[in-house]
């Protein structure tokens, strides 16, 4: 996201903001009349104080409530909660409070699955506990959910971390243990897919758009960058920070969402794009996102259940050793009990 929590770099006297986000997503088992949207805005505000961020804007569709935060975004639907925060936020510290609200206010007492993921931080030692290392994050998550599964994908400085309750296909002991802990259910999953594109070292001319010096307001930056054309049919809620930085949420009538967060400073430029839009192929969307932001490096991940259109999209990405002007540096494909995941790292060809 934005430069709202800049810290000085003593070596070069420039400014730095950690754009890399921590993303946690919790699915609750379906229960008649249970709904996470019963949790009030004030209750969410209290939760976000634990995280060290606050709500700055709100929009909704019939299926999802979308909050733009001072550090990224939060999405709340009937049985899914997503929190994505950047900077020096502490999202895992609020999980206990969310589980309590889910049970006492929303009527959800059983967790179906959890996903926690993030890219390697630019400056991991600057993070607050437990986010200063992945082992500590896993330990805290296990204290809430029992024996989860932790994975590290990609090369050391560009790796991507994942924690989930669903084991790799073929191992069922984890699911059995989970059911004995916090009432975790393993019922069949509804169709679901998510694409995330994590971009770094971006084109300075594009990043200039997301400054107050170049754009008078968020709507102007959204149009100038082409964000409004990435996924048609989205109702956009956008925010341009002062002096720079940008966040947006988009929601559609069918319950799909997209979210983009931009840290434009040249020394730490970073953009994240995420959406659960249903598609049999993400080729065109990926091309539009890359054309809009022109990163020198990016990570793409696709999660998809076997019964979703996105399952084919995940498999298709396995074929691409190059994408336009980018070459694939690393790729992994995993089949979990309930989801397929494709991870890939791309770098721009030398000019």
């Amino acid at each position: 996201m934005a430069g709202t929590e800049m810290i000085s770099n003593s070596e070069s006297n420039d400014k730095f903001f950690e754009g890399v986000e921590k993303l946690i997503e919790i699915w609750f088992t379906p229960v008649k009349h249970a709904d996470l949207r019963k949790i009030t805005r004030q209750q969410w505000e209290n939760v976000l104080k634990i995280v060290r961020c606050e709500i700055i804007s709100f929009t909704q569709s019939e299926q999802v409530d979308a909050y733009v935060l001072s550090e990224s975004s939060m999405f709340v639907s009937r049985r899914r909660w997503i929190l994505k925060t950047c900077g020096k936020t502490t999202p895992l510290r609020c999980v206990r409070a969310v589980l309590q609200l889910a049970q006492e206010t929303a009527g959800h007492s059983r967790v179906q699955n959890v996903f926690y993921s993030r890219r390697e931080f630019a400056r991991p030692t600057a993070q607050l506990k437990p986010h200063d290392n992945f082992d500590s994050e896993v330990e805290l998550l296990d204290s809430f959910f029992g024996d989860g599964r932790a994975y590290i994908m990609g090369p050391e400085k560009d790796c991507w971390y994942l924690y989930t309750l669903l084991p790799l296909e073929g191992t069922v002991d984890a699911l059995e243990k989970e059911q004995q802990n916090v009432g975790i259910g393993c019922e069949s999953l509804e169709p679901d897919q998510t694409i995330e594109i994590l971009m770094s070292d971006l084109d300075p001319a594009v990043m200039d758009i997301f400054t107050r010096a170049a754009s008078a307001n968020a709507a102007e930056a959204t149009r100038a960058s082409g964000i409004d054309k990435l996924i048609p049919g989205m109702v956009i809620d956008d925010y341009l920070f002062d002096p720079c930085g940008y966040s947006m949420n988009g929601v559609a009538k069918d319950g799909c969402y997209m979210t983009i967060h931009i840290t434009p400073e040249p020394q730490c430029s970073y953009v994240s794009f995420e959406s659960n839009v249903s598609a049999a192929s993400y080729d065109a969307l990926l091309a539009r996102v890359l054309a809009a932001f022109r990163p020198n490096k990016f990570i793409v991940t696709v999660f998809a259940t076997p019964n979703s259109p996105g399952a084919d999209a995940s498999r298709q990405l396995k074929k691409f050793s190059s994408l336009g002007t980018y070459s694939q540096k690393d790729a992994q494909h995993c089949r979990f009990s309930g989801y397929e995941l494709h991870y890939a790292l791309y770098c721009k060809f030398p000019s």
Side-chain angles (χ1 to χ4, degrees), residues 134-144 163:
F134 187 50
D135 287 344
S136 295
E137 292 172 319
V138 170
E139 183 179 1
L140 183 57
L141 285 162
D142 275 345
S143 74
F144 299 131
Y163 175 96

Side-chain angles (χ1 to χ4, degrees), residues 77-260:
S77 56
R78 179 175 294 275
R79 67 185 190 97
R80 179 182 61 186
W81 172 73
I82 300 172
L83 180 63
K84 186 172 192 173
T85 64
C86 57
K88 295 170 69 176
T89 51
T90 53
L92 293 187
R93 292 185 186 176
C94 82
V95 169
R96 189 182 306 278
V98 171
L99 295 177
Q100 184 174 351
L101 282 173
Q103 181 169 2
E104 296 177 357
T105 303
H108 281 295
S109 59
R110 288 168 57 83
V111 171
Q112 186 177 69
N113 198 19
V114 175
F115 299 96
Y116 174 72
S117 64
R118 64 171 174 85
R119 189 172 173 173
E120 177 60 63
F121 296 121
R123 296 186 186 171
T125 58
Q127 292 294 310
L128 302 175
K129 293 181 182 299
H131 298 289
D132 53 342
N133 68 85
F134 187 50
D135 287 344
S136 295
E137 292 172 319
V138 170
E139 183 179 1
L140 183 57
L141 285 162
D142 275 345
S143 74
F144 299 131
F145 303 110
D147 184 14
R149 291 292 186 266
Y151 305 92
I152 304 175
M153 301 183 187
E156 183 177 0
K157 291 187 178 180
D158 288 300
C159 65
W160 183 76
Y161 299 97
L162 171 68
Y163 175 96
T164 181
L165 300 184
L166 291 179
L168 286 172
E169 199 168 76
T171 60
V172 297
D173 59 312
L175 291 178
E176 293 172 353
K177 290 180 182 178
E178 286 149 15
Q179 288 181 304
Q180 297 171 6
N181 282 282
V182 291
I184 294 168
C186 57
E187 292 80 2
S188 60
L189 299 170
E190 66 187 57
D192 180 46
Q193 60 284 308
T194 302
I195 181 171
E196 192 174 23
I197 308 168
L198 309 175
M199 297 164 273
S200 54
D201 191 13
L202 294 111
D203 189 316
V206 176
M207 293 296 95
D208 282 346
I209 296 171
F210 304 100
T211 66
R212 287 284 182 174
S215 299
N217 51 52
E220 186 176 312
T222 299
R223 290 191 299 269
S225 61
I227 287 174
D228 57 328
K229 296 179 175 61
L230 292 179
I231 301 180
M234 289 283 176
V235 176
I236 291 177
D237 182 17
D238 47 14
Y239 192 89
L240 183 65
F241 292 83
D242 189 9
C244 64
Y246 172 94
S247 286
M248 69 79 66
N249 292 334
V251 295
K253 290 182 179 180
D254 62 0
C256 289
Y257 70 86
M258 75 168 177
T259 184
I260 298 172

Side-chain angles (χ1 to χ4, degrees), residues 57-90:
S57 190
F58 171 78
T59 191
Q60 63 185 157
S61 68
E62 289 185 8
Q63 290 90 357
V64 62
D65 292 347
Y67 298 84
V68 175
L69 308 179
S70 55
E71 276 80 16
S72 299
S73 293
M74 181 173 71
F75 295 90
V76 184
S77 56
R78 179 175 294 275
R79 67 185 190 97
R80 179 182 61 186
W81 172 73
I82 300 172
L83 180 63
K84 186 172 192 173
T85 64
C86 57
K88 295 170 69 176
T89 51
T90 53

Side-chain angles (χ1 to χ4, degrees), residues 25-26 28 30 39 61 98 123 179 214 238 251 275 289 309 330-331:
E25 178 174 330
I26 301 178
F28 293 87
I39 299 172
S61 68
V98 171
R123 296 186 186 171
Q179 288 181 304
D238 47 14
V251 295
S275 180
V289 172
D330 197 89

